[in-house]
């Protein structure tokens, strides 16, 4: 978990990396009409969802105040999110973009509502909210632009 005392440089780097992670999505959407645009967008989105859901494990495991019940819920919920993402990316075409957008929203809602995430620094929470909103918007844009 990130400390609230991170240097301003670290905070800016974390924020920059968070937003920079959306650039591959923008590139895929720019080339959505090619044969690789949609598949690559779905694959990259799956990778990011797996990354974010995996971070739930670390966050929950590092907090001593998490009950066994809460830990099980977080572990199972994060796994469910990844399984839904894998099935979506594998079996759906453009419709996958709507489900993926929903999964990103669900991850953000989980981070806002589950007590285990309450210790996240405010700059990180703000970045995650902004990046998630952008990612959801990009997926909705891609859905409506898909040929």
């Amino acid at each position: 978990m990130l400390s609230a005392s991170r240097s301003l440089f670290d905070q800016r780097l974390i924020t920059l990396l968070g937003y920079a992670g959306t650039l591959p999505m923008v590139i895929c959407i720019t080339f959505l009409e090619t044969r690789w645009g949609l598949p690559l967008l779905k694959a990259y989105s799956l990778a990011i969802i797996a990354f974010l859901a995996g971070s739930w494990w670390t966050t929950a495991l590092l907090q001593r105040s998490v009950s066994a019940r809460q830990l099980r819920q977080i572990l199972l919920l994060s796994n469910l999110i990844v399984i839904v993402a894998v099935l979506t990316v594998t079996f759906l075409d453009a419709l996958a973009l709507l489900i993926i957008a929903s999964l990103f929203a669900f991850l953000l809602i989980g981070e806002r509502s589950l007590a285990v995430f309450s210790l996240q620094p405010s700059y990180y929470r703000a970045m995650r909210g902004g990046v998630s909103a952008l990612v959801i918007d990009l997926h909705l844009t891609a859905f409506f632009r898909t040929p």
Side-chain angles (χ1 to χ4, degrees), residues 57 70-81 83:
W57 283 49
Q70 289 171 320
L71 179 62
R72 283 191 299 271
Q73 288 175 338
I74 290 166
L75 298 179
L76 293 172
L77 191 54
S78 65
N79 277 12
L80 178 63
I81 291 168
I83 290 168

Side-chain angles (χ1 to χ4, degrees), residues 19-118:
Y19 280 97
T22 65
L23 291 178
M25 293 176 185
V26 171
I27 292 167
C28 289
I29 292 169
T30 302
F31 294 97
L32 205 54
E33 294 182 16
T34 67
R35 65 179 178 80
W36 58 267
L38 180 59
L40 189 56
L41 176 59
K42 291 180 353 182
Y44 183 72
S45 297
L46 173 60
I48 298 300
I49 287 171
F51 173 79
L52 292 172
S55 74
W56 282 28
W57 283 49
T58 305
T59 301
L61 290 169
L62 289 177
Q63 283 208 22
R64 303 287 180 227
S65 62
V66 174
S67 70
R69 181 175 178 260
Q70 289 171 320
L71 179 62
R72 283 191 299 271
Q73 288 175 338
I74 290 166
L75 298 179
L76 293 172
L77 191 54
S78 65
N79 277 12
L80 178 63
I81 291 168
V82 173
I83 290 168
V84 169
V86 168
L87 293 173
T88 298
V89 166
T90 303
F91 295 111
L92 299 177
D93 287 323
L95 183 59
L97 298 169
L98 293 179
I99 296 169
I100 290 168
S102 299
L103 292 174
F104 278 110
F106 194 71
L107 283 163
L108 182 62
I109 290 167
E111 289 183 22
R112 295 286 197 249
S113 60
L114 297 170
V116 71
F117 298 104
S118 64

